[in-house]
Amino acid sequence: MDLNSASTVVLQVLTQATSQDTAVLKPAEEQLKQWETQPGFYSVLLNIFTNHTLDINVRWLAVLYFKHGIDRYWRRVAPHALSEEEKTTLRAGLITNFNEPINQIATQIAVLIAKVARLDCPRQWPELIPTLIESVKVQDDLRQHRALLTFYHVTKTLASKRLAADRKLFYDLASGIYNFACSLWNHHTDTFLQQVSSGNEAAILSSLERTLLSLKVLRKLTVNGFVEPHKNVEVMGFLHGIFERLKQFLECSRSIGTDNVCRDRLEKTIILFTKVLLDFLDQHPFSFTPLIQRSLEFSVSYVFTEVGEGVTFERFIVQCMNLIKMIVKNYAYKPSKNFEDSSPETLEAHKIKMAFFTYPTLTEICRRLVSHYFLLTEEELTMWEEDPEGFTVEETGGDSWKYSLRPCTEVLFIDIFHEYNQTLTPVLLEMMQTLQGPTNVEDMNALLIKDAVYNAVGLAAYELFDSVDFDQWFKNQLLPELQVIHNRYKPLRRRVIWLIGQWISVKFKSDLRPMLYEAICNLLQDQDLVVRIETATTLKLTVDDFEFRTDQFLPYLETMFTLLFQLLQQVTECDTKMHVLHVLSCVIERVNMQIRPYVGCLVQYLPLLWKQSEEHNMLRCAILTTLIHLVQGLGADSKNLYPFLLPVIQLSTDVSQPPHVYLLEDGLELWLVTLENSPCITPELLRIFQNMSPLLELSSENLRTCFKIINGYIFLSSTEFLQTYAVGLCQSFCELLKEITTEGQVQVLKVRWLRPVIPALWEAEVVENALKVNPVLGPQMFQPILPYVFKGIIEGERYPVVMSTYLGVMGRVLLQNTSFFSSLLNEMAHKFNQEMDQLLGNMIEMWVDRMDNITQPERRKLSALALLSLLPSDNSVIQDKFCGIINISVEGLHDVMTEDPETGTYKDCMLMSHLEEPKVTEDEEPPTEQDKRKKMLALKDPVHTVSLQQFIYEKLKAQQEMLGEQGFQSLMETVDTEIVTQLQEFLQGF
């Protein structure tokens, strides 16, 4: 591409590509896409975005296309890679001038230079770093800033490389430039501190911006540039100097306004100082050891004493608390139980920690956390009144949770209390003791102090297990406080019910549950919405607890469910509705069928909520979860929900619909439980299966659930299902068999239609009374798959679990459809170019040899029945394998025969003669409709209806009649005498 002639054309097309008119925009984008691989295109782009006289939007677009080109075509091995000559020209052009006037474009140029540096620096671009270093020294403010900005992005990118060779190069770079980087940072920092007193906001902001950028460079070099940074004097000097610099910057905040750009940049710089310390501690804990004492002294003084008053701000306090927490929790600083096994570095760090965290220090930290940082603020109380749902979302972890002060103080309290619980437990108990009895509702400060102490007791519940008699405290103190209905007391009502929720799984007598349920019923009717929402949370913790007893809960179920439903209707925020739905789901799950009388209102409301939540997929996920538990609780009665339920499943599992990305997993689970609890098939339920083929093509992590759904349909209505979907499903399975994992293959072959569900009774004496198979659907389903299974058996499938499944499949075919087995054997004989008898003999031999792969007793008995069904036979191949057949049969007898202690005779323990309704205990879930269907199918299964003992006897007797006494005796002599003896013992009485 000729630069002179091309520049005008490319500029014109770029201008068109910035148009809002799609008729102009689309052709321009297509043309630019075609030029991406043209030699010289990126040189033209470089000329365009470095020409400051051109339109900003055009230059911006040129930078973006250049940046994307680096990702796609800069590597030498990339298709249509840029030539080395052009790359050399481009590298030189990128660092010729650092004078971009537009901030956004300057940032993009810095990023794309860093991208090139990641691939080429220092080997192909050795001049980059020296050029940047020289450029940051110039006096021109714009050039200096842009060079510094680029220097930061290059350093950041090189620091992120993880290969050993790249790490070595970065270590060398850091060693070479660290001294300069420190000097640069100190220069800009001193300049800023001098400017602060001048009051010139523009000058302050300019020097502060350079201070920030140079500190960002130093952060990357310090944290990532040294293997053993504690051995580098300059590194440790910089880190030790951070604390003094932090003090200086914090003092500067007194003279800089609270609401301007300078203040924002100042706070970002202060936070960056703390990030340097936190990152260094995280990456180099032992190198940080000399900084432990100073870090703790600094953080504690600014957070827990008067030193920080007037200069600290919330994010800084959070960072200081994180620093304390990381030192307290750091595993590198925790010695082994046997001190002699600990490293000297660990012992030194532990010694410093112990020397700092004295009893007075720990006591003061604990008291300040509780009495200062745990107090509800005026802002929080206002939010409680004006936006109660917003308040509860913030309290339980909203979007800003990670960086907000309250959760940070609570986590720090938990960590320090856990680490030093012997010291701090008496302190907290003393604070509890001073708050016994009711609190004056007119004394708001006293109410807030009690709220804070109760918060601490809840957070430290596990540590206080042996120190607090919670049952007595609940009865004598907490329960009466819940009954104070004054509006000013609502913070304590909320806190007390929260506190009980924290202790419920720690220490709470089961006998007290009814008293708690009574209190919950009252609080769910509280005037305050926040109290009701917190009560719902505690209710969830209560029903989720290991010691939950349904019988205690049932008297309160109707009231609670009604009140929860009213709460669900009242709240308006998506997050709150999800939370209340989750509580309802937990209640339904725990009481199961007992919920049936009370769900009418919820069933009527959910379709409306589903429609209202069209734009809120996470709320719809919560609705799906609720429906799952609702269907399980309603059982067969869930059929009444189908007008709403089935369209929901249809939408959630349709991969052509965008919401499936969020809803698919829960939608499939709902589909499955709907099938499991369905009393009968309906046309609408059958029609949903049209969604399955694309789901199988996805081969996602939900494949197992898909197979369970397929099984559910076959258990529910095999004839209608197979008539409708057999051919397509079989095609999908054949595709899956080519590509999915071993586990998936096993799942394919477990599908119920490989064990035809046909009513049949077996008679043991003759093989011709085998199970009749549907003459149409059987071959349709088996024809493509069974050769694959047969081949796997003959070739000795290497995975035992797969081989076991293959043998189970072939056992069903051999036992239940002899004619189809014969046609399959004939087909495979042609494929293997063998005689049928020879192939049959090979199959029996492999079956006998791999019998140990089969671990399930049902399948082992099936194998014995299937191979015995080949008898009686005068076929020489079958007679040649007679010994193996008998061996498997005797193994089967050992698996299934149990001795009757009264009569001393043996009986087949797998025989089932009638349907027994199992007794369900309170802790067990009642059987689903599918469980009942499986039980009915078992009553028709030869494995459960045919006595293996009698079957063997009848088959041997028939074989004896066919061969005569002498011939049969010769056949039996091929069997090991020990096996014959065991067989005779099992057959006593016949």
Side-chain angles (χ1 to χ4, degrees), residues 534 636 713 964:
E534 194 65 66
Y713 274 104

Side-chain angles (χ1 to χ4, degrees), residues 732-977:
S732 296
F733 278 14
C734 286
E735 288 299 315
L736 280 170
L737 283 171
K738 297 174 185 176
E739 61 188 46
I740 57 178
T741 63
T742 298
E743 182 186 26
Q745 292 172 5
V746 173
Q747 287 295 315
V748 169
L749 296 170
K750 281 182 180 175
V751 177
R752 186 70 196 183
W753 45 253
L754 292 177
R755 303 172 184 180
V757 186
I758 307 289
L761 293 175
W762 284 78
E763 297 294 335
E765 61 277 341
V766 288
V767 72
E768 60 268 16
N769 290 336
L771 180 67
K772 294 182 179 178
V773 179
N774 189 307
V776 177
L777 297 185
Q780 273 187 342
M781 296 306 295
F782 296 149
Q783 192 65 44
I785 293 177
L786 286 179
Y788 184 90
V789 176
F790 196 101
K791 184 171 179 285
I793 294 173
I794 294 297
E795 294 179 351
E797 164 61 46
R798 61 183 177 135
Y799 293 109
V801 65
V802 179
M803 186 63 163
S804 170
T805 309
Y806 285 174
L807 293 174
V809 170
M810 202 52 59
R812 289 286 171 184
V813 177
L814 177 56
L815 186 62
Q816 295 181 255
N817 194 335
T818 308
S819 62
F820 189 85
F821 178 78
S822 298
S823 64
L824 175 64
L825 188 62
N826 184 46
E827 177 188 344
M828 298 307 295
H830 281 96
K831 285 188 178 180
F832 281 97
N833 197 23
Q834 292 183 15
E835 294 293 327
M836 286 179 61
D837 286 350
Q838 181 186 358
L839 194 60
L840 177 61
N842 292 342
M843 187 195 76
I844 296 172
E845 186 173 338
M846 186 59 71
W847 204 322
V848 173
D849 182 59
R850 299 292 291 274
M851 185 66 180
D852 287 342
N853 289 169
I854 306 175
T855 56
Q856 303 95 323
E858 291 86 355
R859 192 172 283 162
R860 290 176 67 83
K861 179 178 177 180
L862 174 64
S863 288
L865 291 171
L867 290 176
L868 282 167
S869 70
L870 294 170
L871 302 178
S873 175
D874 57 2
N875 186 306
S876 60
V877 172
I878 294 177
Q879 291 186 14
D880 186 50
K881 306 301 178 186
F882 180 79
C883 173
I885 294 173
I886 297 302
N887 285 347
I888 283 181
S889 302
V890 173
E891 282 187 35
L893 287 169
H894 280 292
D895 292 330
V896 305
M897 301 302 288
T898 55
E899 187 175 4
D900 189 330
E902 295 181 3
T903 63
T905 58
Y906 289 96
K907 62 179 181 179
D908 190 332
C909 65
M910 287 192 182
L911 291 179
M912 296 170 59
S913 57
H914 62 282
L915 183 63
E916 296 179 359
E917 285 292 339
K919 293 181 179 179
V920 181
T921 66
E922 183 183 314
D923 296 330
E924 293 177 327
E925 293 185 3
T928 64
E929 295 299 304
Q930 181 162 297
D931 292 332
K932 297 173 185 176
R933 288 191 282 271
K934 286 182 179 179
K935 198 81 171 178
M936 293 299 296
L937 286 170
L939 292 176
K940 303 171 185 178
D941 190 336
V943 171
H944 297 292
T945 58
V946 176
S947 165
L948 179 59
Q949 184 186 32
Q950 184 173 350
F951 196 57
I952 292 174
Y953 172 77
E954 297 290 349
K955 287 296 182 180
L956 291 180
K957 184 178 179 182
Q959 186 71 41
Q960 183 182 33
E961 291 174 355
M962 175 180 285
L963 298 181
E965 184 63 36
Q966 186 175 352
F968 179 71
Q969 196 59 40
S970 298
L971 201 58
M972 288 299 295
E973 287 174 359
T974 64
V975 183
D976 184 90
T977 54

Side-chain angles (χ1 to χ4, degrees), residues 302-332:
Y302 272 92
V303 174
F304 297 110
T305 72
E306 294 74 20
V307 172
E309 290 182 6
V311 296
T312 58
F313 51 96
E314 184 171 302
R315 184 76 190 280
F316 172 72
I317 294 172
V318 168
Q319 291 293 91
C320 288
M321 287 185 174
N322 285 337
L323 189 58
I324 298 169
K325 180 185 71 176
M326 282 184 68
I327 293 172
V328 169
K329 285 187 68 176
N330 204 303
Y331 286 107

Side-chain angles (χ1 to χ4, degrees), residues 365-377:
I365 289 174
C366 180
R367 290 187 183 279
R368 286 279 291 179
L369 278 171
V370 175
S371 63
H372 179 71
Y373 289 106
F374 280 12
L375 291 181
L376 286 170
T377 64

Side-chain angles (χ1 to χ4, degrees), residues 397-559:
D399 292 338
S400 60
W401 185 90
K402 182 179 179 182
Y403 299 114
S404 58
L405 185 56
R406 178 166 297 283
C408 184
T409 59
E410 291 178 352
V411 170
L412 178 61
F413 175 82
I414 291 168
D415 290 335
I416 289 182
F417 205 95
H418 175 74
E419 190 74 13
Y420 303 102
N421 63 82
Q422 291 184 340
T423 303
L424 293 177
T425 295
V427 177
L428 188 53
L429 291 177
E430 180 190 339
M431 296 173 79
M432 286 174 59
Q433 195 63 38
T434 61
L435 299 172
Q436 292 299 319
T439 303
N440 185 354
V441 294
E442 301 301 327
D443 190 346
M444 195 64 190
N445 186 58
L447 291 172
L448 294 180
I449 288 288
K450 182 178 272 193
D451 173 85
V453 174
Y454 282 4
N455 187 13
V457 176
L459 295 173
Y462 285 98
E463 308 297 337
L464 295 172
F465 179 86
D466 293 322
S467 305
V468 174
D469 186 346
F470 191 80
D471 296 330
Q472 287 299 316
W473 197 40
F474 169 76
K475 287 189 292 185
N476 300 333
Q477 173 79 15
L478 300 181
L479 206 54
E481 296 208 83
L482 289 177
Q483 295 163 356
V484 180
I485 59 174
H486 196 284
N487 185 54
R488 279 174 166 261
Y489 220 77
K490 65 186 179 185
L492 272 181
R493 290 199 301 276
R494 168 197 170 247
R495 181 60 69 190
V496 169
I497 198 64
W498 170 88
L499 172 63
I500 294 168
Q502 302 308 297
W503 276 83
I504 199 77
S505 60
V506 178
K507 193 177 187 180
F508 196 84
K509 270 186 183 176
S510 178
D511 295 347
L512 297 176
R513 296 281 176 128
M515 296 171 66
L516 174 58
Y517 295 147
E518 190 73 41
I520 288 174
C521 286
N522 292 330
L523 288 175
L524 284 173
Q525 302 172 70
D526 196 277
Q527 294 180 351
D528 186 77
L529 181 60
V530 174
V531 174
R532 295 203 297 278
I533 294 171
E534 194 65 66
T535 303
T537 305
T538 295
L539 174 58
K540 176 191 172 299
L541 294 171
T542 305
V543 299
D544 274 348
D545 184 52
F546 182 73
E547 294 187 8
F548 174 80
R549 281 170 43 191
T550 308
D551 61 314
Q552 289 181 319
F553 187 73
L554 286 178
Y556 307 93
L557 175 58
E558 182 177 7
T559 302

